[in-house]
Amino acid sequence: MPTKSKNVCLAVVIALATALSGSGAATAQKKPDTSGMETHAIEVRARPIQRFSRGGADKGAKLSPRLEWRGGLVLSSPSRYFGGWSGLALAGDGKSFVAVSDAGAWMTGKIAYDASGKPEDLRDTRIGALLNRKGGPLARERERDAEALALAGGTPSNGTAYIAFEQVDRIGLFKIEKGRLGKPSSYLKMPREAARMRMDGIEALTVLAGGPRKGALVAFAEHPLRGEDVHRGWIWLSDTPRGFTVAGIEGFGITDAASLPDGSVLVLERRFRWLEGLRVRLRQIDAGSIGPGSVAKGKVLLEANHASSEIDNLEALAVSTGEDGETVLTLMSDDNYNRFLQRTVLLQFTLHEEAVAEASGAAKAKGPPAAQ
C-alpha cells in the first residue's frame, strides 16, 4: 500500500507540473473543441468545503487577521466543456456571475447561498462559445485561450466585459445580454512590451473600483518579461496603456486581480515547485502604487499550499459585497480538464477592514470578560 500511495502522489506532482508549466501536447489535447458548441444550459454539481485548512482551523495556511473563511464548493459537471475556468466576475451582491475558460467557453449563472451566507450551489447555469468579431466561434485553438475577465460596466447578466487572451495576445470588449456573451465590439491597444511576454501573456485584468483613476482598466502579465525579474502591469489611460512594475516575490506568477472600492488591487499568485508542490498567495497593492511608472509591492493577505489547504490551481478572483455590507472575495480554480487529479473549487473569504481586524485580534488576546 505505501508503494501505491507514493505512485499516486508522484502522478499528481507530474500532472500538476505539466499543467502549470503550460507545456506538453497532452495538456492541449485535453481541452475540448468549443468551436462547434451551441449555447445551452449546463448541469453543475456542488459539494461543500467545510474548512479551508485540511489540518484544522489554525493549520495549513497563513491568513491575515483581515481574512475570514466563509465557505467553498467543489464543482463538477457531466459536460465535457466544463472546466478550465481562468476568469470570473460577480455582480455587486455576489449572486450572478460570468466566467471564461482557456478553451474559449463562457459560463453564466447564479451562486446560491444558505441561511448563514455560505455558498451552496450554482443555478441557472449556461455555457457557450466565445465569438470573433463577425459573430462566429473562434476556430483556432490558439485564439481561444481566454485567461482573464473583468466587468467594464453593468452586470454579469447585462453589461460589458473585458476579456484577455494569451497565445494570440489581445484584450477585447464583449457585450453581455440576458446572460449570453456576444461578439467583441472592439479590441484595446496592447502595450509595446507585450511583444516580450512569454507564451503565458496577460493573465490578470481588473477595472479600478475607486481611487483617482476609478474606471481604468489594469492588466498584469503572469511572469516577468524576458530578461527581467519584476512583474509588469499596465493601466489604460485615455485608451493608451501605461506601464508600472510589481515586485516579484519568491518566483510566484500572477494569475488574476480584482479591485477594492478604495482603488487598491488584490493580486492572486501561484507557484509550483517539484519539492513543495503547489502554493498560492494573495497580495493587496495600494491604490497609490497603481499608475504610470510606479513600483508596487503590496501586503500578503494569504499564503497556502496544496498539501494542507483546500486549494487547487487558482486562476480567478472576484470581489463582491455580502448582505451585511462586508467585502467578499471569491476564488476559482482551473482544473486543466484533468478531472482525475485536479478539481474546480470555488472559495470565499470575508475581507475585513484593518481597524476591525485589529479590534478583533485585541479582543481575542484579552479574552472574555470576568464573570460577575
Side-chain angles (χ1 to χ4, degrees):
M1 292 301 293
T3 302
K4 181 178 180 182
S5 176
K6 289 180 180 178
N7 289 340
V8 171
C9 290
L10 180 60
V12 172
V13 169
I14 293 173
L16 280 170
T18 302
L20 297 179
S21 68
S23 61
T27 301
Q29 290 171 358
K30 290 175 184 175
K31 291 184 181 181
D33 183 352
T34 57
S35 62
M37 178 175 57
E38 298 288 337
T39 299
H40 61 280
I42 183 174
E43 177 190 359
V44 179
R45 301 162 183 166
R47 176 171 60 83
I49 299 173
Q50 300 298 342
R51 289 181 179 273
F52 179 60
S53 172
R54 295 176 179 176
D58 299 320
K59 297 179 180 179
K62 299 176 183 178
L63 270 70
S64 161
R66 297 177 58 201
L67 274 185
E68 179 184 357
W69 169 247
R70 292 176 71 93
L73 301 170
V74 178
L75 303 173
S76 61
S77 173
S79 171
R80 66 188 181 95
Y81 297 113
F82 182 85
W85 305 114
S86 51
L88 175 70
L90 299 180
D93 61 4
K95 295 179 180 178
S96 64
F97 72 88
V98 57
V100 291
S101 80
D102 56 17
W106 56 261
M107 179 174 66
T108 59
K110 295 179 181 178
I111 303 176
Y113 297 87
D114 65 16
S116 65
K118 294 180 179 180
E120 184 177 47
D121 198 6
L122 297 193
R123 298 175 184 172
D124 302 328
T125 45
R126 288 198 293 177
I127 196 168
L130 291 171
L131 305 177
N132 59 31
R133 295 190 73 164
K134 295 181 179 180
L138 299 170
R140 295 188 300 162
E141 183 177 344
R142 292 184 69 252
E143 296 178 313
R144 298 196 291 260
D145 194 351
E147 291 293 339
L149 176 148
L151 283 181
T155 71
S157 301
N158 291 283
T160 53
Y162 294 110
I163 299 176
F165 298 80
E166 64 181 18
Q167 296 193 60
V168 180
D169 295 309
R170 64 201 190 279
I171 299 173
L173 183 62
F174 291 73
K175 192 170 185 178
I176 312 171
E177 290 186 303
K178 298 180 180 179
R180 296 173 64 116
L181 228 69
K183 63 183 181 181
S185 59
S186 61
Y187 284 95
L188 275 63
K189 179 180 180 181
M190 292 293 286
R192 288 180 300 173
E193 299 90 347
R196 295 168 50 209
M197 290 191 299
R198 305 177 189 182
M199 280 189 64
D200 34 32
I202 287 179
E203 192 85 7
L205 287 180
T206 188
V207 172
L208 296 181
R213 298 183 176 92
K214 181 178 179 180
L217 178 68
V218 174
F220 298 89
E222 180 175 359
H223 293 295
L225 305 183
R226 293 183 181 91
E228 297 184 351
D229 58 5
V230 294
H231 293 285
R232 289 286 189 134
W234 297 273
I235 182 169
W236 273 255
L237 301 175
S238 301
D239 300 325
T240 300
R242 304 284 301 278
F244 61 95
T245 60
V246 180
I249 303 178
E250 300 175 339
F252 278 74
I254 294 175
T255 61
D256 207 0
S259 179
L260 294 173
D262 65 356
S264 63
V265 171
L266 300 173
V267 174
L268 180 62
E269 298 174 287
R270 172 192 64 202
R271 184 178 83 182
F272 180 85
R273 289 181 177 173
W274 285 97
L275 295 180
E276 67 179 13
L278 178 66
R279 290 173 62 188
V280 298
R281 184 171 59 207
L282 190 65
R283 273 196 281 174
Q284 182 177 2
I285 299 174
D286 292 339
S289 298
I290 307 295
S294 67
V295 179
K297 184 175 182 181
K299 300 177 182 177
V300 176
L301 299 178
L302 177 151
E303 191 165 333
N305 63 68
H306 190 267
S308 56
S309 303
E310 291 288 355
I311 65 168
D312 210 283
N313 179 32
L314 295 172
E315 288 204 8
L317 173 65
V319 172
S320 59
T321 303
E323 290 191 354
D324 296 325
E326 71 276 23
T327 299
V328 179
L329 312 184
T330 301
L331 294 77
M332 195 172 184
S333 68
D334 170 2
D335 67 352
N336 290 298
Y337 306 97
N338 188 347
R339 300 183 181 186
F340 177 66
L341 296 174
Q342 292 183 257
R343 306 176 300 167
T344 297
V345 297
L346 185 147
L347 312 175
Q348 288 194 336
F349 297 86
T350 301
L351 178 64
H352 298 289
E353 295 181 7
E354 293 195 40
V356 174
E358 289 173 1
S360 175
K364 289 180 181 179
K366 184 177 180 181
Q372 300 294 318

